[in-house]
Amino acid sequence: MVLPCRSTVTLSDTAIFDKVITVNARGALLVTKYATRQMVAIGKGGAIVNVSSQAALVALDGHISYGSSKAALENITRCSALELGKYNIRVNSVNPTVVMTPISSGHWSQPHVAEPFLKQMPLGRWATEDEVAGPIVFLLSDAASMITGIHLPIDGGYTCR
């Protein structure tokens, strides 16, 4: 007798997986492709910061499509940094935890979802938009002129576990 397996792996909708990969990975690749063509043509270098997720760095229950798409984005970031450095183009990513927005709050504000997650996070709270924007501004600035190919967790310490 085969027991039913009810995991997101066995129940994954490949059409949804394909759509998430298309938006998060392919979309970022296309932006990088066309933006860097202009940067190279102008000849002054530049910087790109991809917005990834902590789901690219650790496995999160129920996040197989999203996490996979963000892991692909991490590789796009590293390969782009490697190949575009000779043009003085820096490429980095940030990896935020949940940012409580109107879209995310429906799921993440539920006590049975939030409490176990936040208990695993050393800082024990969600990120704000400003806490994600600040590091992005830094990575785009001249103050980060020697930083390329990194991923920067903005996750309250979640990925240090």
Side-chain angles (χ1 to χ4, degrees), residues 91-116:
V91 186
N92 295 294
S93 69
V94 294
N95 303 77
T97 188
V98 175
V99 178
M100 200 56 71
T101 65
I103 292 173
S104 64
S105 67
H107 175 72
W108 290 101
S109 64
Q110 299 174 68
H112 73 281
V113 175
E115 289 172 14

Side-chain angles (χ1 to χ4, degrees), residues 4-28:
C5 180
R6 301 206 40 88
S7 76
T8 58
V9 175
T10 61
L11 299 174
S12 291
D13 181 333
T14 55
I16 291 173
F17 181 88
D18 291 345
K19 185 174 185 178
V20 174
I21 291 288
T22 297
V23 170
N24 289 340
R26 186 174 188 269

Side-chain angles (χ1 to χ4, degrees), residues 77 80-82 84-85 89-92 139 144-150:
T77 299
S80 298
L82 179 66
L84 296 170
I89 298 171
R90 299 178 295 107
V91 186
N92 295 294
L139 288 171
S145 63
M146 195 57 184
I147 300 173
T148 194
I150 61 104

